[in-house]
């Protein structure tokens, strides 16, 4: 989930220089080992080398080492600053100016992709340079602060130290907001990558950030603290008093667990997992992981959406009904979930129960079992496979499959 937030959803034409698998595995290892979050981000911003041998540099190669792209992503992902519009003009409301954005982007100006990997042997940053103009020479400068050092220390290293420094409160508040959104579905401050947005619980991010710093920036402590909080433990169900407005949901202040839609990448991964009885993870065979990767990329090309509609857009709904990935994954082929259930389930009721556990990670209610079991016929070879395919198709196309609750 963190990698999906920091890196592009689709590889596109950058497959040779960008290895998301290596980055995700490295990030998982770092978090599991308790590596301080400040060290993780410093490596992503400042390290050199090959994207295959040194996974954190995939943050640089994912954006083709473009200074403007990396400046925007660094500010948004690690500091909760939405500065993208300042690339073209001064922000009309926020204090961001073009000079702030250009000074930040200049830290990545010398970053280059060579046969040795990522290094800082490129040219200085000239804004607006093209074949007819040399552009304007821009010096590296920290936003709202002093110019970067004139020493021989690489500019990316200077930027990494500034972003992750002990006095940089926004750095830890930004990851606290992201972690809260990952676990509860909605951030404390919206949007999740803008700390200047609407805050649901003033002071909570500052408390989480302080706790994170006191625990040596160990992300495990942050996720543990959120998991032990009352908002994470409560139900998404709530009763409405008589005569109250059904639209006035209390989840904005986390009085209930927020009912939110899965991210497109989560939907794609869920579709792949539904087809397998075994868990698909980093221990899954290399061939299957590669096939799954390309299947996800094809699916995400058409499933992305900015809509907040909990039930999904019309195009997304149609895609879940008819997409090749869905049809292939529910098919009763050797080793698939529906094929395994046709021979392993002892009765239609048991098949319904197992299908619910596979697709929705819960057991069905007695009414659901009664309604669905009658639609599954038992033959001499076991349960009819086409009926199980229909059952899986129906569960995948339910609203519950798309929701976190």
């Amino acid at each position: 989930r963190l990698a999906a937030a920091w890196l592009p959803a689709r590889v596109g034409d950058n497959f040779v220089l960008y290895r998301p698998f290596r980055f995700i595995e490295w990030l998982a290892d770092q978090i599991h080992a308790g590596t301080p979050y400040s060290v993780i981000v410093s490596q992503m911003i400042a390290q050199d080398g090959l994207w295959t041998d040194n996974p954190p540099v995939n943050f640089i190669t994912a954006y083709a080492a473009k200074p403007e792209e990396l400046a925007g992503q660094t500010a948004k992902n690690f500091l909760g600053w939405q500065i993208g519009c300042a690339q073209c003009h001064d922000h009309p409301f926020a204090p961001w100016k073009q000079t702030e954005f250009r000074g930040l982007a200049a830290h990545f100006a010398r970053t280059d992709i060579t046969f040795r990997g990522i290094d800082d042997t490129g040219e200085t940053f000239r804004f607006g340079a093209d074949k007819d103009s040399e552009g304007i020479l821009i010096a590296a400068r920290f936003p709202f602060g002093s110019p970067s050092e004139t020493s021989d220390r690489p500019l990316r290293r200077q930027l990494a130290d500034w972003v992750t420094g002990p006095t940089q409160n926004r750095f830890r508040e930004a990851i606290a907001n992201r972690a809260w959104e990952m676990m509860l579905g909605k951030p404390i401050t919206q949007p999740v990558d803008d700390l200047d947005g609407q805050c649901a619980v003033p002071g909570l991010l500052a408390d989480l950030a302080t706790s994170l710093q006191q625990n040596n920036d160990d992300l495990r402590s942050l996720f543990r603290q959120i998991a032990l909080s009352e908002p994470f433990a409560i139900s998404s169900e709530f009763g409405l008093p008589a005569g109250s407005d059904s639209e006035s949901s209390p989840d904005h202040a986390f009085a209930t667990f927020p009912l939110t839609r899965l991210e497109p990448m989560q939907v794609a991964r869920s579709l792949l997992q539904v087809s397998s009885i075994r868990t698909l993870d980093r221990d899954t065979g290399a061939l299957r992981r590669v096939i799954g990767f390309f299947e996800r990329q094809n699916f995400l090309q058409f499933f992305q959406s900015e809509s907040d509609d909990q039930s999904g857009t019309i195009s997304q709904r149609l895609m879940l009904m008819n997409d090749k990935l869905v049809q292939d994954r529910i098919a009763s082929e050797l080793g698939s979930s529906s094929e395994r259930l046709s021979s392993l389930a002892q009765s239609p009721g048991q098949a319904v129960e197992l299908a619910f556990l596979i697709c929705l990670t819960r057991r069905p209610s007695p009414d659901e079992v009664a309604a669905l079991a009658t639609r599954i016929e038992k033959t001499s070879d076991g349960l009819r496979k086409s009926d199980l395919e229909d059952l899986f198709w129906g569960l995948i196309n339910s609203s519950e499959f798309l929701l976190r609750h």
Side-chain angles (χ1 to χ4, degrees), residues 87-374:
Q87 180 177 348
C88 303
H89 55 79
D90 293 344
H91 198 291
F93 311 116
W96 278 103
K97 308 298 181 185
Q98 274 188 300
T99 53
E100 311 289 348
F101 181 88
R102 294 174 183 177
L104 180 61
H107 288 89
F108 298 99
R110 296 181 60 84
T111 304
D112 197 12
I113 302 176
T114 70
F115 70 92
R116 297 185 302 273
I118 296 297
D119 60 27
D120 287 321
T121 58
E123 299 179 356
T124 54
F125 186 46
R126 290 184 175 274
F127 183 80
D130 54 32
K131 63 179 182 179
D132 300 321
S133 172
E134 293 184 355
I136 304 171
L137 181 63
I138 303 295
R141 185 182 185 90
F142 300 133
F144 312 115
S146 59
S148 301
E149 301 173 10
T150 57
S151 67
D152 293 333
R153 273 206 327 143
L155 290 174
R156 284 191 292 129
R157 170 51 58 193
Q158 296 181 45
L159 177 62
D161 291 346
W162 179 79
V163 168
T164 65
T167 60
Q168 188 61 268
N169 295 330
R170 293 184 71 102
F171 173 65
R172 290 163 185 84
E173 290 183 8
I175 188 59
N177 201 38
R178 175 73 65 182
W180 189 276
E181 187 270 342
M182 288 172 61
M183 298 188 68
L184 278 86
K186 285 188 177 181
I188 298 169
T189 297
Q190 297 194 59
V192 67
D193 49 17
D194 185 2
L195 292 181
D196 299 316
Q198 182 178 1
C199 183
V201 187
L204 180 54
L205 280 181
D207 291 342
L208 290 172
T210 299
S211 177
L212 176 62
Q213 190 168 17
Q214 291 173 347
N215 285 279
N216 194 33
D217 287 342
D218 189 338
L219 289 179
R220 296 174 302 177
S221 69
L222 175 61
F223 287 113
R224 185 183 303 112
Q225 185 174 8
I226 296 173
L228 294 174
S229 68
E230 184 177 352
F232 185 76
I234 58 180
S235 171
S236 57
E237 297 180 350
F238 65 96
L240 289 173
S244 63
D245 182 5
S246 62
E247 297 296 323
S248 58
S249 167
D251 67 4
H252 69 281
F254 303 104
T256 65
F257 192 92
L259 197 63
T260 55
R261 208 177 49 167
L262 294 179
E263 297 291 331
M265 178 62 79
Q266 292 175 303
V267 176
R269 290 182 180 275
S270 297
L271 288 173
L272 295 178
Q273 181 60 69
V274 159
S275 68
S276 175
I277 298 293
R278 288 189 172 186
T279 301
L280 302 178
D281 54 21
R282 60 190 302 178
D283 295 324
T284 303
L287 179 60
R288 184 160 189 175
R289 293 173 62 193
V290 170
I291 293 174
F293 171 77
F294 284 105
E295 287 180 324
R296 288 198 308 271
Q297 295 300 313
N298 292 333
F299 181 83
L300 291 173
Q301 183 177 359
F302 303 102
F303 199 77
Q304 296 285 358
S305 173
E306 299 296 328
S307 171
D308 292 327
D309 187 354
Q310 289 184 345
S311 60
T313 65
I314 294 176
S315 61
Q316 287 177 329
R317 281 298 186 179
L318 289 173
M319 199 170 172
L320 284 177
M321 293 179 185
N322 305 292
D323 186 68
K324 184 177 184 298
L325 176 61
V326 177
Q327 301 301 323
D328 289 346
R329 291 298 172 167
I330 66 174
S332 298
E333 297 178 350
L334 183 64
S336 69
S337 295
S338 57
E339 189 273 337
R340 296 283 297 276
L341 286 191
S342 69
S343 58
L344 294 178
Q346 300 298 312
S347 66
Q350 187 181 34
V352 171
E353 181 177 4
L354 293 174
F356 266 72
L357 289 171
I358 292 170
C359 296
L360 304 179
T361 64
R362 70 169 176 87
R363 298 184 187 278
S365 67
D367 289 341
E368 289 170 329
V369 174
L372 296 173
T374 58

Side-chain angles (χ1 to χ4, degrees), residues 38-101:
S38 52
V39 174
I40 293 174
V41 173
S42 291
Q43 293 180 42
M44 292 169 58
I45 294 175
Q47 286 212 346
D48 299 329
L50 283 170
W51 38 94
T52 51
D53 296 334
N54 196 15
V57 304
N58 279 282
F59 175 70
I60 303 295
T61 61
Y63 299 101
K66 296 178 180 178
E68 294 90 345
E69 286 274 359
L70 289 168
Q73 293 298 326
T74 297
K76 179 178 71 172
N77 292 326
F78 307 133
L79 296 172
W81 268 326
Q82 289 276 11
I83 66 170
C85 68
Q87 180 177 348
C88 303
H89 55 79
D90 293 344
H91 198 291
F93 311 116
W96 278 103
K97 308 298 181 185
Q98 274 188 300
T99 53
E100 311 289 348
F101 181 88

